[in-house]
Amino acid sequence: MSATWRLLDTGLRRAAENIALNRALLEAHQAGEAPHTLRFLRFRPSALIGFHQSPRQELHLDACARAGIEVQRRITGGGAIYFDEGQLGWELYLDRRTLGTADMGAIARRICEAAAAGIRRLGVDARFRPRNDIEVDGRKLSGTGGAFDGDSFLYQGTLLLDFDVERMLRVLRIPAEKLSGKAVAGARDRVVSLRELLGEVPPLETVQRHLAEAFAEAFGVTLEPGGLNAAEEARYREALAEIDTPEWVHLRDAPADEAPLLEGVHRARGGLIRAIVWLDEARDHVKQVLITGDFFVQPRRLVADLEAALKDVPRADLRARVEAFFREHEAALLMLEPADFVAALEAALASPTTDEAARP
Amino acid sequence: MECNGCEFHPELHYDREFQIWVRREADGTLTVGMTDISQTIAGKILHVRVRRPGTRRPPGKPVATIESGKWAGPVPNFFDCVIEEANAEVLDNPVLLNTDPYQAWIARVRPVDGPEAALSGFVTGEEARAGYCERARREDIHCRRQPG
């Protein structure tokens, strides 16, 4: 007989409640008070930063306030996201012992591959893209991240059912906001929703059923619907009292001008390469890059993969990382060299810091 | 001395799962760090946060948190303590926890009930070595150091 995991659906909630539930369920699992669980969750409009991020560096807080978007800090790692009723959240609460490995990268991969298999049942070609995304033809459909506590862990992902890119760009302080006009289409090309892929948003029940079946199959378990137990309820109330506060949201609060968005252009033989580099000055790390231009590369998704490979890289390692990327990937570059991408990135890093910290 | 490539120091004190190491200091404080096993499991560490000096942390409430490759979590804490100091070098350059886990301490804390009581649940010396190796073998953990 296969093991039974709980299937928990906590419905549409405020961000603070959803994150307090993350904390409560993970702590209860670690304390042996809660079963292995697959949870589905949805959010009222929220801007969620990663556990170690600073709200002022990641978000346009004025825009969030004006639009009534709740700002919250996740307990999981990774970057800032905009989340609303157009996305479905899925989460697994398990332990390393159950999965038979302590390797966090392998755990993330196994879960993401199961989630991608569930999404494929909807009729789209979803694939895991290391380290943490699920994509369709180079466009991100689901982002993921995790939190651990001793042997227990929580691993969560979003699934874009429907998505408002303009709204995301207004809320998040990301390199894509530097783009305008034609280039915004480039930012839009990096994410995709089920509505865009299928022509309509499939019913929520259908999406949840396929995901649940795929997880059950991948882990060889049976899922049984259930609610929160008393221990989890008590931990939830305690967690909410800490998390539903400005102190929690601003736990880390570095100013925006310590993370400038830098822009550079390199004119290569094969076309113009524009690079936007988001730098964390305090750590001398590149947080993220965005590469656009009128150059030609094959496969088309190569630029998205290169951007993914250049997330959170020490500034000093940037060149080596680009070179390693092109060694590891089959690429057809038309009158372009890997060095041209390096040149565009270096042009951005050399540009003066004229960031608009106070930009709405 | 090594075990599955995991470095071990018999003079330090360890929790039962060998997640952290603790060193007794002459002034009654304790220095806390991550073991080679823990840094290997975590992967390349991108962020470290230590609670403010003066903060009291009961058992189960972490002194510090880490993040690596989108995973975030606590450096576990097993005794009631007050944080005295964070290692500024590690805060600036978290990958030191990966490259040199026994030099790169995370925090110095003052145990509320004294070091003796704080370390009563910990293991040290040859007993610790046996447990440390047993965990590495049982979970098939092969320690590796990240390039700085």
Side-chain angles (χ1 to χ4, degrees):
Chain A
M1 211 188 97
S2 65
T4 301
W5 294 359
R6 173 176 55 176
L7 177 61
L8 176 68
D9 185 348
T10 54
L12 182 64
R13 287 175 181 261
R14 288 177 49 222
E17 296 176 357
N18 274 328
I19 289 163
L21 278 166
N22 286 154
R23 162 83 67 81
L25 292 169
L26 180 58
E27 283 184 358
H29 191 278
Q30 167 64 7
E33 299 164 356
H36 297 337
T37 298
L38 168 64
R39 176 188 176 208
F40 289 117
L41 63 159
R42 287 179 302 128
F43 287 76
R44 298 202 184 282
S46 318
L48 309 178
I49 55 170
F51 181 67
H52 285 97
Q53 293 189 312
S54 297
R56 284 186 288 165
Q57 288 191 345
E58 307 300 325
L59 305 175
H60 293 301
L61 294 172
D62 293 348
C64 293
R66 275 199 303 274
I69 293 166
E70 183 181 354
V71 174
Q72 255 298 338
R73 177 183 300 279
R74 299 194 306 269
I75 68 165
T76 50
I81 54 173
Y82 171 69
F83 215 132
D84 64 18
E85 294 88 343
Q87 291 98 62
L88 172 67
W90 53 266
E91 300 178 340
L92 284 171
Y93 296 82
L94 301 171
D95 54 34
R96 303 187 230 231
R97 213 172 307 123
T98 303
L99 294 196
T101 177
D103 181 333
M104 309 297 272
I107 289 172
R109 167 180 289 271
R110 199 169 155 198
I111 293 173
C112 287
E113 283 175 348
I119 298 166
R120 281 200 296 277
R121 293 171 189 225
L122 294 161
V124 298
D125 188 26
R127 303 283 160 187
F128 170 57
R129 174 171 68 204
R131 290 178 314 205
N132 302 82
D133 293 333
I134 295 166
E135 49 121 79
V136 175
D137 193 22
R139 300 170 75 189
K140 181 166 163 177
L141 178 64
S142 172
T144 69
F148 57 88
D149 186 358
D151 195 44
S152 296
F153 65 82
L154 142 70
Y155 200 79
Q156 64 185 189
T158 60
L159 176 58
L160 304 184
L161 305 176
D162 200 354
F163 198 55
D164 183 345
V165 174
E166 275 75 20
R167 193 151 203 218
M168 175 191 80
L169 291 176
R170 280 199 299 276
V171 167
L172 301 188
R173 194 172 162 263
I174 50 176
E177 77 174 39
K178 282 244 176 191
L179 302 173
S180 57
K182 207 166 101 185
V184 171
R188 199 176 286 124
D189 275 351
R190 284 165 172 76
V191 292
V192 72
S193 66
L194 287 179
R195 176 191 289 283
E196 198 180 333
L197 290 166
L198 298 171
E200 60 175 2
V201 179
L204 195 60
E205 300 72 29
T206 308
V207 179
Q208 294 190 182
R209 179 165 49 79
H210 283 305
L211 278 173
E213 285 174 3
F215 281 123
E217 203 168 286
F219 294 100
V221 298
T222 306
L223 289 164
E224 195 166 287
L228 295 181
N229 65 36
E232 289 168 326
E233 290 279 6
R235 286 183 185 273
Y236 167 61
R237 281 191 296 274
E238 196 184 312
L240 189 62
E242 180 187 340
I243 284 169
D244 197 9
T245 62
E247 289 72 29
W248 167 259
V249 174
H250 295 276
L251 195 61
R252 193 177 254 235
D253 199 17
D257 59 9
E258 285 180 11
L261 293 167
L262 305 168
E263 197 169 350
V265 168
H266 170 67
R267 206 169 287 280
R269 276 201 310 142
L272 185 122
I273 305 177
R274 177 193 302 269
I276 298 164
V277 175
W278 195 8
L279 188 67
D280 179 342
E281 284 186 330
R283 294 162 60 233
D284 212 23
H285 262 232
V286 170
K287 290 161 70 80
Q288 206 182 327
V289 307
L290 190 69
I291 297 167
T292 61
D294 58 7
F295 54 87
F296 177 85
V297 295
Q298 273 294 3
R300 228 188 63 179
R301 50 167 301 158
L302 193 83
V303 171
D305 287 340
L306 177 61
E307 289 173 355
L310 298 179
K311 269 189 188 164
D312 228 326
V313 174
R315 178 185 184 146
D317 297 352
L318 200 58
R319 171 187 290 268
R321 197 65 73 89
V322 172
E323 288 165 357
F325 175 85
F326 282 102
R327 275 197 303 276
E328 290 160 12
H329 289 74
E330 285 281 326
L333 304 177
L334 191 66
M335 288 191 290
L336 279 181
E337 300 288 335
D340 289 317
F341 291 94
V342 173
L345 294 164
E346 286 181 346
L349 287 167
S351 74
T353 304
T354 54
D355 196 46
E356 66 299 50
R359 188 183 143 151
Chain B
M1 268 303 291
E2 290 189 349
C3 194
N4 269 6
C6 301
E7 190 178 326
F8 178 80
H9 291 254
E11 73 280 10
L12 300 173
H13 299 260
Y14 301 87
D15 64 288
R16 296 279 168 182
E17 291 291 323
F18 305 94
Q19 299 174 82
I20 62 167
W21 58 259
V22 178
R23 188 174 65 223
R24 285 187 77 148
E25 305 297 350
D27 63 357
T29 61
L30 298 171
T31 299
V32 178
M34 283 172 80
T35 61
D36 204 1
I37 286 181
S38 287
Q39 74 78 15
T40 296
I41 289 174
K44 188 170 184 175
I45 295 168
L46 300 171
H47 296 277
V48 180
R49 176 174 182 270
V50 178
R51 294 280 174 150
R52 244 176 246 112
T55 312
R56 182 165 175 178
R57 301 302 281 166
K61 293 289 175 193
V63 167
T65 52
I66 57 166
E67 181 173 330
S68 57
K70 290 203 179 181
W71 286 95
V75 176
N77 173 39
F78 299 92
F79 44 79
D80 197 352
C81 65
V82 176
I83 294 164
E84 296 240 318
E85 186 188 3
N87 185 349
E89 241 185 294
V90 163
L91 296 183
D92 284 347
N93 191 14
V95 79
L96 289 174
L97 295 174
N98 298 114
T99 54
D100 203 353
Y102 297 96
Q103 281 299 313
W105 55 279
I106 297 172
R108 208 162 48 75
V109 304
R110 186 165 295 279
V112 171
D113 303 316
E116 214 57 57
L119 293 176
S120 60
F122 281 58
V123 288
T124 186
E126 291 310 306
E127 183 197 357
R129 185 197 303 277
Y132 184 82
C133 289
E134 206 256 318
R135 177 169 180 213
R137 290 202 193 98
R138 185 179 67 231
E139 298 186 23
D140 199 25
I141 298 163
H142 295 266
C143 288
R144 52 176 191 266
R145 296 293 167 84
Q146 297 281 335

